[in-house]
Structure formats: C-alpha cells, structure tokens
Amino acid sequence: MEPLKHILGLSPRGPSLLRSGRRAFLGGLFWVSLFSRRPKAAFAQSAIANPLGPALQVALEAVVDTIVPRDQDPGALDAGVPARIIAHLSTHPEALTLYRAGLGVLEGLARQAGASSFHALGGPEREQILSSLAGGPDGPRGVGAEFLVRARRDVLAFYWGSEVGQHVVGYPPPLSGYPDYADPPSGARSPQQ
Amino acid sequence: MTVTKQESFDAVVVGSGAGGGFAAVGLAEAGMRVLLLERGRRFDPRRDFPMNHPDWELHPRAFRDTETPTGDVTLVLEEGALLDPRYAHLRSAGVRGAAFNQGSRRSPFRYERVFGLGGTTLHYQGEAHRFPEHAFRPASVYGFGVDWPLGYTDLAPYYDRAEQILGVAGDPANPFKPPRGPFPTPSHRLSYASQRIARGAAKLGWQLLPNSLALPTRSIDGRSPCQRSGGCAQGCIFGAKSSVDQTAIRRGEQTGRLQIQTDSRVLAIEMGPDGRTDAVIVRHGRTNSRVRTRVLVLATGAVETPRLLLAHRSARQPNGIGNSSGLVGQFFLDTLLAEITVRFDDRIDAYKGPPIDSRVWNFSRPSRDGRVRSGYVLGVSGTLGGFHGPMSHALLLPGFGRAHKDLMRSYFGTVVTLFGIAEQEPRAGNRVTLADSKDSDGVPLVRIQSAHSEADLLALDAMLTGVKDLASAAGAGEVLRQVTTYDAPAASHVGGTCRMGTDPRTSVVTAYGRTHDVPNLFIVDASVLPGQGAGDSPSLTIQAFALRAADHIASLARRQEL
C-alpha cells in the first residue's frame, strides 16, 4: 500500500486538458442530465435501510462530492456513488464503524472551522479539511487517516469503475473488443508532430 | 482418511494447465483412458469473467489465488532475502516516487496461481514462444546456468503440434528465432501504442517485432478469433484466447477417452510395494475417493508439484516421493522482471489490442563480456503495470478532488508499460521447502527462499536501462511507476524445482519427464525446466514438453514398459 503522504501528494500543477477531455465534456452534458437526480431517487427506491442516519448521510454526500466533484463532467453524486457506499456499509459492519467515526471527525473539524457542518463548507474548504485527516490530530494511523484512505478508495472505485466515469475519459468497455486497436486514437498526435 | 469410491484409469493427470492439459490430450489421442483432475472449477467465458460486465473493474476476479480469504493458502509469507544496496536504484516505486518496499529485504514472495480448468492459461496473456536454440545449452555456450538434456530440435515437432492446437498467430520472419514455416494464423498488426514504441526502437537500432501469441487471428475449431480486448488476464469473454480449456481439453474430450473431474484436489499419492505409484486419493467436496492408475502425471506447477512430492514421506521415501537426489524443490527459478510505466503527452490508448503484442529480442543472448548474465527480452504492454481501465488509473494517481479529476482526464489513455524479462541463474539455495503449518486439508504449507546472484542483478540492471532508453527514444515523458523483482518478487515464470537431466544424482526427471526414482510417475509442468528461455514465456515449451512426454508414455504403454 502506498504511504498516505504519497496518496495525497498531488502537485498543484494545472490540468492539461487533451482532446479526450473535450470529447468527455460533450458526453458529460448527457450524463449530467441523466444522473443529476439519481442519488435521492436511488434512496427512495432502495429497500436498503440507511445505516448512517440522515445527518451522517448528508456528510457522506459532501465527502463523495469532494472526492469527485461535478465540473464540466458529472461527479460522484451524479453517478449514484453514495447509494453504492451505503449499500456496502449495510453489509459490512467494520466499514460502517469506520465511516461513522470518520464522518464524525469531519463534522467536528468543520465546526472548529466555524461552519455548521462539513456539508455547509465550500469545495476548497472541504478539500482542505479532508486532506488534513492524513496528518490529523490522531496521527497518520488514526481513525481520520484510515477513513480518508477508505473513503477515497471507495468513491474513486465506484465512480471511475462505473459507466459514467468511463465516459468521462473516453473509455469504451471491451464488450465488443477493439477492432480499431491499430489505428491512431482520437486525441493522438500525428506522426509529423 | 475415509475413501468412499474407487476408480481405475490408464493415466491420471493432476492439474489442467499448460502441462497437464496438453499431456492429457496427448495421452487420450494415443488411445489411453485418461482422468484429468483439476482443483478448481470450469469457467464459461460467456458469463463468468469480469469483462462480461461494462463496469468490469468493479467485479471481482474470477480466479482464486493465494490471497483469497478462503483459508486455501499455499505459502507462509515471510521476509525475503537481503537486498544488495549496490543496486538500490532498482527499487520499485509508484507514482511520485513512493517506494513499495522501504525495508532492507525483498518483500514476501507471493505465488499467484489459478484454480480452474485451464490453470494459469486462464489468466496468461497468450504469449506462445519457442525458446531460442541457445537457451537449451546456456552453460556450454555462455557459461550461464545449466544445459538441458534435450535441444531445440527435440522439441521442434512438438512446438509445431502445440502451435497447431493453439492456433498461434505470429510472424515467421523473426530473425532472432530459429527458421521455421508459417504460423497457424497470421500475425497481429502492431497496436497503435506499439507502433509508437517501435519508432523509438528503430532509433536505437533495435527491432520491436510482433509477438507470437496464442490469440488466433482467424477462427480455430469454431472459436471466435481474437477481438483485441486486452482482457486476457481477466479471462477472455470471447473464448478466443487459446487457454487450455478452450483448446487441448476440448480436443481431448472429443476422443471420448478423456474424463474431466473439476473441484477435485489430490491429497495423497499412494505407492505400491514395487516402488511404483499405485493410486491417488482425491477430495471432491467432502468425499474422498481412490483412483488407481497405471501412470501418474503431475502438472500442478513449480510450487505445488514439489509440495505434493515432499509431503509424502515414508520409510521407503524418507525425503519424499521421487527425491532420492534431494533436489525436489531446489533450484527454484523466480521471475526476473523490470518494468516502467510511462506517459506520452497524447492519447495512445494502449489498453486496446493484445496485452503484450510486441517484443524486442535483440538481447536474448546471454552476455559473454566477462560479467555473465542472462539474455533478456523487452516488451510492450497496455495492461501491465497496474494501469488498465479508468478505475485502476484513479486509484494509482495521487490525491482526490478537482485536481485528481483533471489528472484523470489528462492521463487516461496516455500510459504504457515497457518491461523486460530475463532468466534467473539457477542456484541450489533458492528453493521450495515445506513449512510446519498445514492447510485445511492437512497438506503442509510451503516456504520459498529466493535470493539474487550477481548475474541476476546485472540482468535486472540491464533491463531497467533498456526500457528507460526505449521509453526515451519513443518520446515518452514522465515515468509513473517502476517495478522490479529486485525488491518485489513476481511469480509469472517460476520453474526449476524438479529439474530434468540425464544424471539421477543431479536431476529429478528425465528429458521425457519421467522421474528417475519412480518409473510410472511423470512431471510435465514448469518445475522440470532447468532454465527460463532467456526471458521468453515458458507456456509453449511446457506444452511441447508435455506432448513429447505423452508420446513417450504411450510408447512405453504399448511396449508394456510402464
């Protein structure tokens, strides 16, 4: 497993949006419209009782939205990631304990920062507080750090493993193979470049 | 042990991978009544593999291995050999330079295997290599390793036969391989990613050539040709990859003489009073049965085969079955691997196409410049290195939030892995031994000891330099990940633990896989290989060896000499 400092060691350099990004943007409009109401609908239709309770569910949605936010492309809320995590927590008591504890730590940190809740914070403030868990007061092996590793993994996996995430980066799943495998992909440089 | 049922066969083959499957078809086609025992299940490519689902990265692997929490464990995981600090630059590191292993010893050896009809060919990448001629005589020609008791010409007709069964696709014009006729199916075109790397290779005076692959480019035996999905390791959903279950075993079943029994583990080998194997005890669910046989063929791999032999000690075989030489488990061959995952600044979509569709064979001969080391082969892969679909990229790229999402949009489709594989120097101290602890069936676990020689470290060093030069020449920029077996062992090409030879004092089996000690006990898996083919993949050589052994067994049976 990679040490936390490296998982969180993102350099602040800006994005270099490639042609794939433009393609993803156009596709993203479709996905945003398709999934924008999905989280609430998913809970309403789900037979799974929410083991977190309403307050922590709101905090979870804020965490999910922080890890993969909506921008020109749909975010993790649009992809229904909270419902998938809650379904997982309902059958994994150890994970549920960790999520409850971690979300509780986040709520406490948000209040220390003068907000009423983690959910009430803006995106940059949420990212800052979430990042702080890696080296937080209970240390890199504390519950906050463990929660961050787990939540990051779960949200990234459920989002980028989904068809929504695949579409964002222009990845067609291999169900039909790749007959075009030898051709320059869209976004490839021409040989003269 | 309660045994509830008894059966009898001409031959029992244990293990259905590259060696076992091909031995079984060879024996059945020669007229023998054969039982093939496989510990795992039979898979249906149309529904059993992750890639049957669009969100395949969220679906669990179909194949079991040592890390599944089933209690079905083979290894005692323990710290590896001390690392040589002179080669610290070979350490494995992830994105942003995070070291995988910050200690002073190699990481515990993890032996990833596959339970299932077809064995490891269920998840292999389809590489179908004939070992070069010099790989059979490395000691004589280069002073490296040990000479084999057979040569290329002995195996050549069986290579032909195995390639026909598999429908291997390849280019016969490869100048680094022995002259040959056409492959059963034409070569794949190079993927776009390999085309880009090939330009770099040309600048260095190297040749990046199409790989020879058991991924037919035309339909064989009514199966789909390769769809270039890149999904070989997850299980081919098209049934196109020529895994042993799709090829040799189907062919064997058509003879009407091959019986398959899956979900069946051999717990014991019973020896007769004449020093011959008499029967095996097989667990199927909660039922144990005794299967009598005229000949027993073991093909459970370079770790499980010595495990089975060493575990059965008696007054007549105090060191285990077939082990009067004391060499069962010795000369374990690890995998020498060095790979880097690099990034281009534009899309190359390396995940499309056969997973390892090209190779550089320029360096397949061992070094003779006074510092002896193995030959090696370089390769290109869009799915090795941990980066495959979007989910794997997301988990490997650092951070989260807006910046991470931007990183995903800019990195996905731009990475490729370049790797080299060499041959480990065989040494008696590298070995598989039994541990004191046992698994749920009462079979002892194994311990693996494997340390690098100077020759091994030189080979790793040369390969790492090679892939970096290749990446640079091809115009790749950032190195995202470096993985070498210097500190992170890998198990893809293990072998050597029941090595073949002519002298019963220095080998376990003959050039036909017959154990020197037990006349009706044969071994046809990677454990018999005294070397690793200068970095080529061993499956086709194991398959050819198994067909040759099967011919020999059938011949002995006809002459009543078994």
Side-chain angles (χ1 to χ4, degrees), chain B residues 218-272:
Chain B
R218 286 199 303 251
S219 176
I220 296 288
D221 298 333
R223 291 187 293 122
S224 164
C226 176
Q227 301 297 304
R228 286 91 178 194
S229 71
C232 292
Q234 287 73 30
C236 179
I237 60 174
F238 307 102
K241 183 178 74 169
S242 293
S243 53
V244 170
D245 58 320
Q246 298 297 318
T247 53
I249 290 174
R250 281 172 53 167
R251 191 173 170 135
E253 287 179 304
Q254 287 167 5
T255 66
R257 289 184 290 275
L258 174 61
Q259 182 173 326
I260 310 292
Q261 189 173 313
T262 56
D263 303 296
S264 298
R265 183 183 186 188
V266 170
L267 299 181
I269 298 171
E270 291 189 337
M271 302 295 292

Side-chain angles (χ1 to χ4, degrees), chain A residues 1-16:
Chain A
M1 181 185 292
E2 294 177 19
L4 270 177
K5 63 179 179 179
H6 295 292
I7 291 174
L8 299 170
L10 183 62
S11 69
R13 66 183 179 175
S16 59

Side-chain angles (χ1 to χ4, degrees), chain A residues 8-83:
Chain A
L8 299 170
L10 183 62
S11 69
R13 66 183 179 175
S16 59
L17 198 63
L18 299 176
R19 274 161 270 191
S20 62
R22 289 202 294 274
R23 184 176 53 184
F25 171 69
L26 294 173
L29 295 176
F30 165 74
W31 288 106
V32 168
S33 64
L34 183 64
F35 283 96
S36 57
R37 293 191 185 89
R38 181 163 177 169
K40 286 179 184 173
F43 285 123
Q45 293 165 11
S46 171
I48 299 169
N50 180 357
L52 287 174
L56 289 186
Q57 179 186 318
V58 170
L60 172 66
E61 289 175 2
V63 168
V64 167
D65 187 45
T66 306
I67 292 174
V68 184
R70 180 188 299 169
D71 51 13
Q72 70 267 37
D73 290 314
L77 288 178
D78 305 309
V81 171

Side-chain angles (χ1 to χ4, degrees), chain B residues 461-483:
Chain B
D461 187 50
M463 292 191 295
L464 188 60
T465 301
V467 291
K468 285 182 174 175
D469 288 348
L470 183 56
S472 177
E478 183 181 6
V479 177
L480 290 170
R481 202 165 144 96
Q482 167 179 309
V483 178

Side-chain angles (χ1 to χ4, degrees), chain B residues 39-122:
Chain B
R39 189 167 167 181
R41 56 174 286 212
R42 188 169 207 150
F43 290 95
D44 182 344
R46 294 166 301 183
R47 62 164 190 258
D48 288 340
F49 298 142
M51 284 188 174
N52 293 119
H53 310 274
D55 56 351
W56 64 273
E57 288 188 289
L58 289 170
H59 289 260
R61 296 175 54 185
F63 312 124
R64 299 164 62 192
D65 59 38
T66 52
E67 295 185 63
T68 51
T70 60
D72 212 353
V73 172
T74 300
L75 288 180
V76 174
L77 295 180
E78 51 195 12
E79 274 195 318
L82 276 171
L83 296 170
D84 186 332
R86 293 175 301 150
Y87 291 88
H89 61 284
L90 297 174
R91 274 190 186 276
S92 303
V95 180
R96 304 282 187 261
F100 287 4
N101 171 357
Q102 295 175 322
S104 58
R105 291 179 173 275
R106 296 183 84 196
S107 299
F109 196 95
R110 292 177 184 274
Y111 178 51
E112 187 173 319
R113 68 233 167 110
V114 173
F115 294 153
L117 197 68
T120 301
T121 67
L122 285 167

Side-chain angles (χ1 to χ4, degrees), chain A residues 7 13 69 71 73 152 189, chain B residues 54 346 397 399 405 409 411:
Chain A
I7 291 174
R13 66 183 179 175
D71 51 13
D73 290 314
R152 175 187 182 275
R189 218 174 42 212
Chain B
D346 61 335
L397 292 172
K405 201 171 175 188
R409 283 186 286 243
Y411 275 59

Side-chain angles (χ1 to χ4, degrees), chain B residues 329-360:
Chain B
Q330 305 271 1
F331 295 107
F332 175 71
L333 297 169
D334 199 332
T335 305
L336 290 186
L337 166 75
E339 69 179 33
I340 57 172
T341 301
V342 296
R343 180 173 180 246
F344 284 80
D345 60 7
D346 61 335
R347 288 286 288 229
I348 56 171
D349 284 4
Y351 60 85
K352 294 180 178 178
I356 304 175
D357 77 323
S358 57
R359 286 279 206 171
V360 172

